[in-house]
Amino acid sequence: MFNGNRNRAATASQSGATGKRGMFSVFGADVAVSGNVTATADLHIDGRIEGDVACGNLVQGAESRILGNVTAETARIAGTIEGAVRAKQLTVERSARIIGDVEYQTITIELGGHVEGRMKHLAVADSAAGAPRAIPAANERAA
């Protein structure tokens, strides 16, 4: 009757050597985080993050706000990001607003999506071998 956790644990253990496939974390609309978020799991963010976000795959809800840099393998942005974004595969939805530089290997910007900053295409050599490199935090760049 209450064995759902056992099945979830079995699925997580079968996810492979990286340990991130099959895992998913959600920051709900009522969640506000002050500090950096780093995850090997995929993230869905509907709340507010004041800090840098680094994860495998990111899905950002339309009402979400991230005040910091974002680094991900794939990112689907629908809310607001005030900071640099670096992703191999980036989708900027029509409700999205990015205020900061964007680095990508492939990008899709839906009609109405807003990017205010420099755009840089990543060569395959720049993004090969694992996750994209982290973007320095705002206070590290100023130094």
Side-chain angles (χ1 to χ4, degrees), residues 44-46 59-66 76-82 91-99 108-116:
H44 183 109
I45 298 175
D46 284 323
V59 175
Q60 182 193 28
E63 300 299 317
S64 173
R65 186 173 190 89
I66 298 172
R76 176 171 285 280
I77 308 302
T80 300
I81 296 177
E82 292 183 30
T91 302
V92 180
E93 295 186 359
R94 65 178 168 256
S95 60
R97 181 173 174 87
I98 299 173
I99 303 168
T108 302
I109 302 176
E110 292 181 358
L111 186 61
H114 181 87
V115 177
E116 186 177 320

Side-chain angles (χ1 to χ4, degrees), residues 11-99:
T11 302
S13 67
Q14 296 169 358
S15 65
T18 63
K20 74 177 185 178
R21 297 291 172 233
M23 296 175 59
F24 196 79
S25 297
V26 177
F27 288 77
D30 62 333
V31 175
V33 175
S34 181
N36 297 337
V37 175
T38 303
T40 57
D42 300 342
L43 292 180
H44 183 109
I45 298 175
D46 284 323
R48 179 181 175 96
I49 309 288
E50 291 184 20
D52 296 340
V53 176
C55 62
N57 299 304
L58 173 67
V59 175
Q60 182 193 28
E63 300 299 317
S64 173
R65 186 173 190 89
I66 298 172
L67 304 172
N69 299 322
V70 172
T71 304
E73 286 287 320
T74 64
R76 176 171 285 280
I77 308 302
T80 300
I81 296 177
E82 292 183 30
V85 176
R86 182 180 176 97
K88 285 184 182 179
Q89 287 185 295
L90 177 62
T91 302
V92 180
E93 295 186 359
R94 65 178 168 256
S95 60
R97 181 173 174 87
I98 299 173
I99 303 168

